[in-house]
Amino acid sequence: MGNSALKAHLETAQKTGVFQLTGKGLTEFPEDLQKLTSNLRTIDLSNNKIELLPPLIGKFSFLKSLVLNNNKLTALPEELCKLKKLETLHLNGNHLRQLPASFGQLSALKTLSLSGNQLRTVPTQLCGLRHLDVVDLSKNQIQNVPDTVGELQAIELNLNQNQISQISVQISHCPRLKVLRLEENCLELSMLPQSILSDSQISLLAVEGNLFEIKKLRELEGYDKYMERFTATKKKFA
């Protein structure tokens, strides 16, 4: 892509606060963007070949949305965690194995998508994020859900298409969790904490494609209580 094309994109971004450059084969984050650190509210660089997010990302102090789906990122810089206004972070289809240690400082974050990466566990840093609504960790390599999950503030947690065979009973203590997606994992029915049914806020539990028949779920103690929540929620949205 020529300099003149990039220049035109930068001029537009200066006016609109949105910089979008997708599917252009970019191998690195455009350094010229740092001229717009105080203008930009949205950056979308999806479907490129970016391997590294430079430390200068931390300078975009007004950024609300960062979208880098389908790139080649293997790690994220700690500087990313300085973005105190960031509400939406989409990093689907990269090669991320973990999140920066200070990820919990992204205090405004509401939506986090990390589908199709190489995470092996539910990152504990997520538990510090008080405004988190939706977390998508589908299509990773997660094998178990640890005790720390009980502090997660999310309303929806998507763990579809992982390798989960164990879930901490603490998941039923998540204060706001309404939707839990666990489709296509490696769960035996005995490994599904019954408290999810009998004693949680969860009103939509999706568990198709595990190592048990769905009808067996209906025989568990607490299923009636779960169905009450499920039906009440359905009525509310009908």
Side-chain angles (χ1 to χ4, degrees):
M1 192 178 97
N3 273 347
S4 58
L6 180 60
K7 201 173 163 201
H9 274 279
L10 288 167
E11 283 172 8
T12 306
Q14 193 164 5
K15 296 187 189 99
T16 61
V18 178
F19 184 85
Q20 187 176 34
L21 202 55
T22 59
K24 297 291 185 205
L26 295 181
T27 53
E28 50 189 48
F29 186 88
E31 294 252 319
D32 284 344
L33 279 185
Q34 59 189 324
K35 296 172 188 165
L36 300 175
T37 48
S38 57
N39 297 65
L40 291 183
R41 304 292 187 270
T42 300
I43 296 176
D44 183 356
L45 294 166
S46 297
N47 304 317
N48 282 295
K49 296 173 181 173
I50 298 167
E51 294 180 19
L52 212 62
L53 203 50
L56 69 86
I57 191 68
K59 294 180 180 170
F60 292 88
S61 44
F62 297 97
L63 202 63
K64 284 192 159 187
S65 174
L66 178 61
V67 185
L68 288 158
N69 295 332
N70 304 319
N71 276 282
K72 298 192 170 190
L73 298 170
T74 53
L76 300 169
E78 289 290 339
E79 287 80 0
L80 174 72
C81 309
K82 293 179 179 169
L83 302 178
K84 297 285 182 252
K85 288 191 162 39
L86 194 68
E87 294 179 4
T88 305
L89 180 59
H90 289 292
L91 296 161
N92 301 328
N94 281 282
H95 308 294
L96 299 169
R97 292 173 181 271
Q98 57 193 41
L99 297 179
S102 46
F103 197 82
Q105 291 174 15
L106 289 170
S107 50
L109 201 61
K110 291 180 180 175
T111 304
L112 174 64
S113 294
L114 287 160
S115 181
N117 279 281
Q118 293 167 18
L119 299 173
R120 294 185 173 271
T121 185
V122 176
T124 53
Q125 297 95 312
L126 302 186
C127 297
L129 298 167
R130 293 281 161 243
H131 298 286
L132 208 51
D133 289 336
V134 179
V135 183
D136 185 354
L137 300 175
S138 61
K139 299 181 185 172
N140 277 279
Q141 296 160 16
I142 298 168
Q143 295 177 357
N144 64 4
V145 180
D147 287 348
T148 47
V149 76
E151 293 168 41
L152 190 70
Q153 297 289 322
I155 296 169
E156 176 169 345
L157 176 59
N158 185 344
L159 292 165
N160 289 347
Q161 291 177 285
N162 278 283
Q163 298 153 19
I164 297 166
S165 58
Q166 280 186 310
I167 300 180
S168 166
V169 67
Q170 295 298 324
I171 199 159
S172 50
H173 296 164
C174 292
R176 300 202 306 153
L177 191 63
K178 298 273 193 287
V179 178
L180 177 59
R181 301 186 187 279
L182 287 162
E183 293 180 18
E184 294 179 51
N185 277 285
C186 307
L187 282 167
E188 301 275 0
L189 190 58
S190 58
M191 286 294 164
L192 191 71
Q194 291 202 12
S195 56
I196 289 178
L197 298 172
S198 61
D199 193 22
S200 79
Q201 302 286 320
I202 296 165
S203 58
L204 178 63
L205 175 65
V207 287
E208 286 78 7
N210 279 282
L211 307 178
F212 59 86
E213 293 177 51
I214 291 296
K215 65 176 187 224
K216 297 279 184 204
L217 183 70
R218 297 179 195 133
E219 294 163 14
L220 289 183
E221 202 177 328
Y223 187 77
D224 294 350
K225 274 190 169 175
Y226 161 69
M227 278 314 290
E228 281 172 26
R229 295 193 303 273
F230 176 80
T231 312
T233 306
K234 238 180 157 172
K235 277 187 187 143
K236 206 163 78 181
F237 291 107

